Amino acid sequence: MTASYLKAAFADRIDVTLVESGKVGTIGVGEATFSDIRHFFAFLGLKEKDWMPACNATYKLAVRFENWREPGHYFYHPFEQMRSVNGFALTDWWLREGPTDRFDKDCFVMPSIIDAGLSPRYENGVLIDSPFDEDAEEMQGLTMVEHQGKTQFPYAYQFEAALLAKYLTTYSVERGVRHIVDDVRHVDLDERGWVTGVRTAEHGDLTGDLFIDCTGFRGVLLNKALEEPFISYQDTLPNDSAVALQVPMDMDRRGLLPCTTATAQDAGWIWTIPLTGRVGTGYVYARDYLSPEEAERTLRSFVGPAAADVEANHIRMRIGRSRNSWVKNCVAVGLASGFVEPLESTGIFFIHHAIEQLVKNFPGADWNPAHRDLYNSAVSHVMDGVREFLVLHYVAAKRQDTQYWRDAKTRAIPDGLAERLEKWRAQVPDSESIFPYYHGLPPYSYMCVLLGMGGIDVKPSPALALSDPGPARQEFAQIRDKADQLVKVLPRAYDYFTQWD
């Protein structure tokens, strides 16, 4: 992703060399994304038909949370702009006037489309009731930070990470990136401690001016060679392991639910990501509560007979962030920079945000430290903000049937979140009361988690008792009518992609 984005940004005005080990693959958990990922593909000049078929990609309209409140319960955190009535978010009105006990279906259209297994696009490719189009001027040139709060694109993507990496490698090489398959044996530093080059097994010494560390949890350049400290988040987010399966399935027969599902388990949760030819699934858990062997048995039982002959991939996760992701002339992107469990599909979002910020703060010949400091501030704010949001899931979950879930209610939480929770008990989250720096998550995301998890009592704004509820009731009715209409005319999610064959 980084090499392709830099070439799209700077073309032949910079030389880019990509060194990739032939022995180290992707970790296999980064298959779902934020809806903002469309800005990445638009920046590269790619349309959906260019890359999605090659990556077995599907649409993701929401995250579906199952069993976090109690067995059998589920709710959606959708990609859909929150409506407001008389200056109050519709979810605030729902607390007072909600027509059913399903805030997601009452306040959003997408949950009904997902439950029916439908595409967000009509058979002719037109997107449902939205101003967005791949050729529209609105799609071009905006970064995630610039776009947040203006509109909400109605879906993200799910894809095979290894196939996307292969596709982007070809894209990059065709545009002049030098691609070397080799292993880095040593990192060379000068007397200042700056990186001067890397020594490879077969291609010798490779030199450069700026080095981007994409070596994953190992942090070969940033953490090992430059000895930049790592700040752990595990005091508040204890999940440190995952076991993953890639399960081939007949998706036509199975049906393709256009969302990522997170199903709560005794010591963590299981993700389910449907692609066009298989399902990606995995159990994220804490080793303090569950062994890898028990986690794998639970996951295979959850999937059923289709998982019998599928090889499991066990992963130890380094949860937290490097103190600084840009040190001297080395910038860490991806897992070398930081990582949290993939509960809200933030791994690829972190990469996308980092490379946007790198282009924005790209150094000049004088290496002005202001660019480095601005980059480090933006990256640390994003990760710290996402940390808060993920911790909220566990604090807000009503489930308390195992020690893992009981401990989630007493575990330490970030100081800022503790203060915000007190405010949210009296007033629903808004742009002024959530984490104050850009982190990719708007206020309605917090509201979805609070209302869906069910473990924290949230009250409507007192002012609504003095307001006319008529317009809010009309809005709820319009959402229901719109959802009912769309369910009748949209194609099945799987069928939409077969048109591209």
Side-chain angles (χ1 to χ4, degrees):
M1 288 181 69
T2 305
S4 61
Y5 200 93
L6 289 175
K7 265 302 177 182
F10 301 126
D12 293 335
R13 291 176 290 278
I14 64 170
D15 295 322
V16 178
T17 298
L18 169 63
V19 182
E20 181 181 14
S21 172
K23 302 174 183 177
V24 180
T26 59
I27 66 170
V29 300
E31 297 180 319
T33 60
F34 276 20
S35 63
D36 295 319
I37 191 64
R38 69 193 180 92
H39 295 300
F40 173 83
F41 293 108
F43 193 85
L44 268 57
L46 295 172
K47 299 186 185 303
E48 290 181 352
K49 289 186 178 181
D50 295 332
W51 70 271
M52 287 186 72
C55 302
N56 294 337
T58 58
Y59 293 141
K60 171 189 172 184
L61 280 61
V63 179
R64 174 181 168 122
F65 292 94
E66 295 185 354
N67 303 340
W68 288 69
R69 178 183 292 210
E70 59 193 14
H73 178 270
Y74 74 93
F75 72 94
Y76 291 104
H77 171 199
F79 297 117
E80 186 172 347
Q81 188 83 347
M82 171 61 66
R83 295 158 178 81
S84 63
V85 175
N86 295 338
F88 293 91
L90 192 59
T91 44
D92 202 351
W93 282 102
W94 181 86
L95 287 166
R96 185 173 182 83
E97 296 286 338
T100 75
D101 63 353
R102 286 291 302 272
F103 85 91
D104 50 355
K105 285 197 170 185
D106 289 339
C107 297
F108 302 99
V109 172
M110 288 301 175
S112 297
I113 295 174
I114 300 168
D115 276 347
L118 304 178
S119 168
R121 292 184 180 272
Y122 297 100
E123 289 183 357
N124 63 3
V126 174
L127 189 59
I128 55 172
D129 189 28
S130 173
F132 301 105
D133 183 85
E134 288 189 298
D135 296 316
E137 185 177 340
E138 182 276 337
M139 288 288 289
Q140 310 305 318
L142 284 180
T143 63
M144 294 185 289
V145 178
E146 292 171 318
H147 198 268
Q148 178 164 301
K150 296 179 181 178
T151 50
Q152 173 64 64
F153 195 67
Y155 62 79
Y157 301 111
Q158 302 169 142
F159 46 72
E160 290 199 41
L163 292 180
L164 181 64
K166 181 180 178 180
Y167 183 91
L168 293 178
T169 297
T170 300
Y171 173 99
S172 301
V173 170
E174 289 175 347
R175 286 155 182 79
V177 170
R178 181 188 179 197
H179 182 216
I180 295 174
V181 179
D182 205 344
D183 293 311
V184 172
R185 299 298 193 195
H186 183 73
V187 180
D188 297 320
L189 307 178
D190 65 15
E191 65 280 359
R192 302 171 299 165
W194 287 47
V195 180
T196 58
V198 293
R199 194 173 308 153
T200 62
E202 298 179 7
H203 291 79
D205 293 337
L206 302 175
T207 60
D209 299 310
L210 176 67
F211 291 82
I212 301 176
D213 188 345
C214 299
T215 59
F217 292 135
R218 296 174 299 151
V220 172
L221 278 70
L222 185 77
N223 302 126
K224 291 184 178 178
L226 297 181
E227 300 181 341
E228 182 64 14
F230 185 80
I231 300 172
S232 175
Y233 289 168
Q234 278 202 250
D235 59 329
T236 55
L237 291 171
N239 290 344
D240 58 359
S241 301
V243 53
L245 299 172
Q246 297 182 2
V247 186
M249 288 190 180
D250 182 344
M251 299 306 290
D252 185 13
R253 178 178 298 178
R254 180 184 188 274
L256 199 163
L257 207 64
C259 66
T260 294
T261 301
T263 306
Q265 299 293 314
D266 288 350
W269 56 276
I270 289 175
W271 79 79
T272 304
I273 300 177
L275 306 178
T276 56
R278 69 166 174 84
V279 169
T281 186
Y283 191 170
V284 176
Y285 64 96
R287 289 203 181 200
D288 287 345
Y289 298 85
L290 191 71
S291 71
E293 294 75 20
E294 291 171 315
E296 182 176 338
R297 283 195 296 271
T298 300
L299 178 61
R300 290 187 182 279
S301 176
F302 179 85
V303 175
D309 298 321
V310 178
E311 183 179 356
N313 179 20
H314 286 270
I315 304 156
R316 286 299 299 263
M317 302 184 299
R318 186 178 71 158
I319 304 300
R321 64 173 174 86
S322 294
R323 182 181 62 182
N324 292 296
S325 291
W326 182 340
V327 177
K328 298 175 181 177
N329 64 333
C330 174
V331 178
V333 172
L335 303 181
S337 170
F339 184 73
V340 294
E341 61 184 83
L343 182 56
E344 289 280 358
S345 308
T346 50
I348 291 174
F349 162 71
F350 284 159
I351 297 172
H352 183 195
H353 174 261
I355 55 183
E356 279 192 354
Q357 291 298 313
L358 179 56
V359 167
K360 180 179 179 181
N361 295 289
F362 205 77
D366 61 350
W367 288 89
N368 189 321
H371 300 297
R372 175 202 64 202
D373 294 344
L374 288 167
Y375 178 90
N376 283 330
S377 178
V379 168
S380 62
H381 284 153
V382 158
M383 293 190 183
D384 290 345
V386 169
R387 174 197 195 183
E388 274 202 15
F389 185 60
L390 296 194
V391 171
L392 176 63
H393 290 63
Y394 294 97
V395 174
K398 188 176 181 181
R399 182 169 181 156
Q400 297 191 52
D401 59 326
T402 67
Q403 193 60 47
Y404 173 90
W405 291 101
R406 289 190 288 272
D407 288 348
K409 308 303 179 291
T410 59
R411 185 173 294 112
I413 63 176
D415 291 339
L417 178 59
E419 296 172 6
R420 282 181 263 282
L421 277 169
E422 288 305 309
K423 295 178 182 178
W424 296 338
R425 286 186 171 96
Q427 186 84 10
V428 298
D430 61 21
S431 59
E432 311 228 337
S433 64
I434 65 171
F435 188 78
Y437 302 100
Y438 174 79
H439 57 295
L441 294 154
Y444 90 86
S445 294
Y446 288 79
M447 200 66 216
C448 287
V449 171
L450 284 169
L451 294 181
M453 294 296 180
I456 295 177
D457 185 28
V458 184
K459 297 179 175 62
S461 300
L464 296 185
L466 305 174
S467 303
D468 177 12
R473 292 170 182 168
Q474 290 177 357
E475 192 69 33
F476 289 129
Q478 289 172 4
I479 289 171
R480 182 179 63 250
D481 291 345
K482 181 178 178 181
D484 290 344
Q485 179 186 15
L486 288 172
V487 166
K488 294 175 183 177
V489 296
L490 289 172
R492 284 201 318 157
Y494 180 84
D495 292 343
Y496 179 80
F497 294 112
T498 61
Q499 300 177 116
W500 293 0
D501 293 341

